[in-house]
């Protein structure tokens, strides 16, 4: 029989072996993109909107009274709302940003951004970024902004960034097609605006290691998904989290919780690739991560699966390594896993993952 000390030694040895396997077998760029910073508790919340005042689309819309409440909260004096380029440049430089730093992003370039959101953000002095899927604009889809409207935003100081050509499910496409989606959407924005975009957002938040590498090779400075959580220095800069805001998750109490969130700076995250079903045995994933050593109340970590609720099969290997196991394969489409730890003053630390199964 093992004594308690021997069991703990075995657990810590296994945790060390897992981390060693990461260093031996994971492509170096996939885990070595942690953003340098002086403080592991440096947290930035980036919000993601889609539609404004289009109440027939509640899953991607916020009502205008909700938007007004969000703007009032952000303008209340307790937050540091910065342009996305300022946030990313600071992160890449290792600059610690003020507490409650917020970035605002909007995906897809719907017409309601121009008609409803831009005047309100502008009046409040709140900078924001629009990620544009260019095919809808080129095709003159009336639900989307025109190039003239996008140029007007650009000339007014709104950051315009890339969101693919077609807004397709990119991990399901072949390598040549995804390269075209990335590179030609970037080139089209540069052609129409006279400025090359610096950032990319994956449609639906879906990505994989291949696609992340293509975005990096295209010269982007950062890329964004749709997994929940605040950005920390430990995050992969080619797959940064954002909090999705819609009618359901846009009520005042929940919004206040989101903008006061802190990051959970986990490292050595497995699996490396969020695209499941590519190799035998990768679905359900063997998910794990290493908790930061300086987080109080880490023993209160709780993780949740978007379909099944709280994850009970959670094992700790040593003081910081956490392993999650799932009894059933993840369904086709998107599955989210969110982990939270109570933070100071009623705030919460978040680490979110989004997995895609074709």
């Amino acid at each position: 029989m093992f004594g308690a000390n021997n069991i703990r030694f075995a657990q810590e040895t296994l945790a060390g072996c897992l981390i060693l396997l990461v260093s031996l077998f994971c492509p170096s760029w996939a885990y070595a993109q942690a953003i340098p910073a002086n403080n592991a508790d440096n947290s930035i919340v980036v919000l993601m909107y889609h539609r404004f005042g289009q109440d027939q689309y509640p899953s991607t819309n916020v009502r205008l009274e909700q938007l007004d409440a969000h703007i009032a909260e952000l303008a209340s004096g307790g937050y540091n709302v910065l342009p996305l380029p300022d946030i990313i440049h600071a992160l890449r430089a290792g600059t610690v940003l003020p507490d409650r730093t917020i970035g605002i992003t909007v995906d897809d370039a719907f017409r309601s951004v121009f008609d409803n959101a831009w005047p309100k953000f502008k009046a409040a002095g709140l900078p924001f970024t629009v990620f544009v899927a260019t095919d809808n604009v080129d095709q003159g889809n009336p639900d989307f902004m025109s190039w003239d409207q996008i140029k007007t935003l650009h000339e007014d100081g709104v950051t315009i960034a890339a969101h693919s050509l077609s807004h397709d499910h990119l991990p399901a496409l072949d390598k040549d097609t995804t390269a075209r989606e990335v590179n030609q959407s970037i080139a089209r924005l540069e052609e129409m605006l006279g400025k090359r975009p610096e950032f990319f957002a994956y449609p639906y938040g879906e990505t994989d290691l291949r696609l992340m590498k293509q975005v990096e090779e295209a010269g982007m400075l950062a890329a964004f998904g749709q997994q929940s959580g605040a950005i920390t220095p430990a995050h992969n800069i080619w797959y940064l989290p954002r909090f999705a805001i819609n009618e359901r998750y846009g009520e005042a109490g929940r919004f206040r919780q989101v903008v006061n969130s802190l990051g959970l700076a986990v490292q050595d995250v497995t699996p490396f690739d969020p695209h499941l079903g590519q190799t035998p045995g990768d679905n359900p994933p063997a998910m794990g991560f290493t908790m930061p050593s300086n987080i109080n109340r880490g023993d209160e970590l709780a993780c949740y699966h978007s379909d099944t609720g709280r994850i009970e099969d959670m094992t700790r290997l040593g003081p910081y390594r956490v392993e999650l196991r799932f009894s059933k394969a993840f369904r086709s489409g998107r599955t989210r896993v969110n982990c939270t730890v109570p933070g100071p003053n009623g705030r919460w630390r978040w680490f979110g993952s989004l997995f895609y199964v074709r």
Side-chain angles (χ1 to χ4, degrees):
M1 296 289 292
F2 278 92
N5 290 338
N6 286 333
I7 291 173
R8 180 168 181 174
F9 174 77
Q11 290 174 330
E12 292 179 351
T13 300
L14 179 57
C17 290
L18 287 169
I19 295 170
L20 176 61
L21 286 171
V22 170
S23 65
L24 289 175
F25 297 109
C26 182
S28 61
W29 70 271
Y31 65 86
Q33 297 297 332
I35 308 162
N38 302 319
N39 184 348
D41 201 31
N42 186 20
S43 298
I44 298 95
V45 169
V46 176
L47 307 173
M48 180 196 66
Y49 293 93
H50 285 86
R51 301 173 183 266
F52 304 87
Q54 294 185 272
D55 298 352
Q56 66 271 39
Y57 303 105
S59 65
T60 53
N61 179 64
V62 292
R63 300 187 302 274
L64 294 185
E65 63 269 23
Q66 289 179 312
L67 178 60
D68 289 338
H70 299 172
I71 290 173
E73 177 70 20
L74 294 175
S76 66
Y79 304 94
N80 180 46
V81 183
L82 292 179
L84 197 63
D86 291 5
I87 291 172
I88 297 303
H89 294 159
L91 285 168
R92 293 182 67 95
T95 302
V96 177
L97 292 167
D99 189 26
R100 294 182 174 86
T101 290
I102 308 293
I104 301 171
T105 66
V106 184
D107 282 10
D108 299 345
F110 289 110
R111 173 67 182 263
S112 62
V113 180
F114 188 86
D115 291 343
N116 298 332
W118 173 47
K120 293 178 181 290
F121 285 139
K122 182 176 181 178
L126 297 178
F128 67 102
T129 294
V130 179
F131 288 99
V132 179
T134 56
D135 278 358
N136 280 311
V137 185
D138 282 333
Q139 294 163 6
N141 187 323
D143 199 23
F144 291 80
M145 288 188 279
S146 67
W147 281 117
D148 283 344
Q149 290 167 333
I150 293 170
K151 288 176 184 177
T152 297
L153 295 185
H154 170 66
E155 291 167 357
D156 196 56
V158 175
T159 300
I160 306 298
H163 197 38
S164 82
L165 294 172
S166 66
H167 202 282
D168 206 341
H169 298 276
L170 298 187
L173 307 179
D174 63 65
K175 180 180 179 180
D176 290 341
T177 303
T178 56
R180 174 179 172 271
E181 289 276 349
V182 170
N183 292 306
Q184 291 192 19
S185 64
I186 292 168
R188 183 61 172 153
L189 288 171
E190 184 174 17
E191 175 188 3
M192 296 305 294
L193 302 178
K195 178 179 172 60
R196 188 172 179 82
E198 296 180 314
F199 314 115
F200 192 92
Y202 305 106
Y204 310 104
E206 301 165 352
T207 190
D208 55 22
L209 294 183
R210 176 199 63 183
L211 187 53
M212 293 182 213
K213 187 62 175 176
Q214 290 177 329
V215 169
E216 178 190 10
E217 291 175 342
M220 298 295 93
L221 297 182
F224 292 83
Q226 294 184 17
Q227 69 276 32
S228 298
I231 296 170
T232 75
H235 275 98
N236 182 346
I237 201 167
W238 310 116
Y239 193 33
L240 296 174
R242 296 181 293 171
F243 281 101
I245 307 296
N246 60 15
E247 290 188 19
R248 178 180 178 185
Y249 296 115
E251 295 298 344
R254 199 265 181 178
F255 183 81
R256 193 172 298 112
Q257 182 186 68
V258 162
V259 293
N260 281 279
S261 295
L262 295 165
L264 184 58
V266 303
Q267 296 184 327
D268 307 314
V269 178
T270 57
F272 313 122
D273 198 331
H275 182 186
L276 305 179
Q278 300 183 87
T279 57
D282 73 352
N283 185 20
M287 185 177 177
F289 50 85
T290 302
M291 295 272 287
S293 60
N294 64 339
I295 296 298
N296 294 327
R297 303 177 69 179
D299 59 332
E300 298 180 53
L301 173 76
C303 296
Y304 301 87
H305 184 290
S306 56
D307 290 336
T308 60
R310 184 159 182 157
I311 300 167
E312 301 297 342
D313 192 352
M314 182 169 68
T315 303
R316 288 184 178 270
L317 304 176
Y320 308 121
R321 185 71 189 174
V322 176
E323 293 290 325
L324 305 177
R325 295 296 181 266
F326 310 92
S327 60
K328 295 181 180 179
F330 290 8
R331 60 179 173 81
S332 296
R334 295 181 295 282
T335 296
R336 289 175 168 80
V337 174
N338 288 325
C339 296
T340 59
V341 172
N345 303 314
R347 301 168 76 181
W348 287 86
R349 302 183 185 278
W350 287 71
F351 165 62
S353 300
L354 186 152
F355 296 97
Y356 173 74
V357 179
R358 184 174 178 179

